Amino acid sequence: MALSSNVIGAINFVAMLLSIPVIGTGIWLATEPDNSCVKILQWPVIILGVLILVVALAGFIGGFWRIPWLLLFYLIAMLILIILLASLVVFIYMVTMRGSGHLEPSRAYLEYHLDDYSGWLRRRVRSSYKWDRIRSCLSSTSMCAELNQSYRMAQDFFNAHISPLQSGCCKPPTQCGYTFVNPTYWISPINMAADMDCLQWNNDQTQLCYNCDSCKAGLLANLKKEWRRADIILLITLVALICVYLIGCCAFRSAKTEDLFRKYKQGYT
């Protein structure tokens, strides 16, 4: 029983370590400017990681100090957390399946359209109440000002691989036909009817295209890229956690069998 208990404790120590990538993923998302403005995914991930840490710690204590009820709590709670983590992994994958950038003639960067993305993501940015807060947060960052520092000539900017957020929020849509002055200042549009965003563009550096659907689409494109990276980390952690959990279940069952066998032998001696 002692050996099995030590094995269970060691297994739960590994489970504690597996909470680190989950918590770290949530913290990484929280430090990204777009995710820090939207505030959708990072807190569920961080909370789930902390819960995994707490439950694994309970299993670790229960294993080394041979507390059966604490081990039983670990088995039930960890199973629930594994199901929740699996659901989160599937959810992230499903909402990020759709959406990609579109090439424009003579441009290296891509253009983004809001309708390309999943309905769930679009609802996060479409209401004026939610977008006003997000827009205010985005406009306080230096992402557009950085373009002015990096690109002076029009052709250099047209050949640049800028982020989806910068493409959608810091410049007008290419099809409007604006003339480049600098990355965040454009004049003399050719076709204002090409897109409603053509009317939304404003050279005021606090407004730019933050009211445009292209900005919302660029935000979702950025979120998709970051969420997909997070999803890969969570998926790998999930697989490792399932393996650790199954080994823990086998060790717990073995410990119970040894305990029953020992009591059986004591009853006959």
Side-chain angles (χ1 to χ4, degrees):
M1 175 66 177
L3 180 61
S4 296
S5 296
N6 290 338
V7 170
I8 293 171
I11 289 168
N12 289 324
F13 179 74
V14 175
M16 289 168 57
L17 295 179
L18 288 174
S19 70
I20 295 174
V22 179
I23 297 172
T25 299
I27 293 173
W28 170 69
L29 288 173
T31 59
E32 293 298 303
D34 48 350
N35 274 283
S36 64
C37 289
V38 179
K39 297 178 181 176
I40 299 175
L41 188 62
Q42 59 265 45
W43 285 113
V45 172
I46 291 173
I47 291 170
L48 193 55
V50 170
L51 289 175
I52 291 172
L53 175 62
V54 170
V55 170
L57 179 61
F60 176 77
I61 294 171
F64 272 113
W65 277 269
R66 305 176 196 174
I67 307 173
W69 68 265
L70 205 54
L71 285 173
L72 188 61
F73 165 77
Y74 159 79
L75 291 174
I76 295 171
M78 187 58 76
L79 178 61
I80 294 171
L81 291 177
I82 286 174
I83 293 172
L84 289 175
L85 182 58
S87 301
L88 183 61
V89 167
V90 173
F91 171 77
I92 294 172
Y93 175 76
M94 294 300 293
V95 300
T96 57
M97 282 181 65
R98 294 176 52 193
S100 60
H102 300 271
L103 286 168
E104 291 286 342
S106 304
R107 300 290 189 271
Y109 51 75
L110 302 176
E111 299 281 344
Y112 299 88
H113 305 302
L114 188 57
D115 290 338
D116 291 342
Y117 295 88
S118 69
W120 188 88
L121 281 176
R122 291 201 306 269
R123 287 192 292 273
R124 305 283 75 78
V125 298
R126 264 202 164 136
S127 74
S128 58
Y129 169 74
K130 291 178 181 177
W131 184 248
D132 285 345
R133 178 182 59 80
I134 296 170
R135 180 191 62 197
S136 176
C137 178
L138 291 176
S139 63
S140 67
T141 67
S142 61
M143 63 174 181
C144 293
E146 290 171 359
L147 294 178
N148 290 333
Q149 297 171 4
S150 302
Y151 306 103
R152 301 291 184 184
M153 305 299 293
Q155 198 56 48
D156 291 339
F157 181 68
F158 297 156
N159 292 333
H161 295 278
I162 60 179
S163 73
L165 204 53
Q166 290 174 320
S167 174
C169 304
C170 302
K171 62 165 194 60
T174 300
Q175 59 188 339
C176 303
Y178 277 88
T179 300
F180 177 94
V181 176
N182 67 44
T184 61
Y185 197 92
W186 302 68
I187 59 173
S188 307
I190 296 172
N191 186 8
M192 291 293 283
D195 192 309
M196 285 300 295
D197 286 349
C198 300
L199 299 172
Q200 297 287 351
W201 170 259
N202 194 313
N203 282 314
D204 183 336
Q205 298 299 291
T206 62
Q207 296 189 43
L208 301 178
C209 218
Y210 289 116
N211 286 319
C212 300
D213 280 351
S214 64
C215 186
K216 298 175 183 178
L219 172 64
L220 297 186
N222 252 43
L223 291 179
K224 176 185 174 179
K225 181 174 68 174
E226 291 164 4
W227 287 16
R228 278 296 179 90
R229 291 175 182 171
D231 204 34
I232 292 171
I233 297 171
L234 295 179
L235 177 60
I236 294 171
T237 305
L238 173 64
V239 172
L241 205 56
I242 290 173
C243 293
V244 168
Y245 180 78
L246 292 175
I247 294 171
C249 286
C250 292
F252 181 74
R253 189 167 134 188
S254 175
K256 294 296 288 182
T257 302
E258 289 176 14
D259 196 38
L260 287 171
F261 185 68
R262 179 178 55 80
K263 288 180 181 178
Y264 176 79
K265 284 180 65 177
Q266 287 176 346
Y268 275 88
T269 54

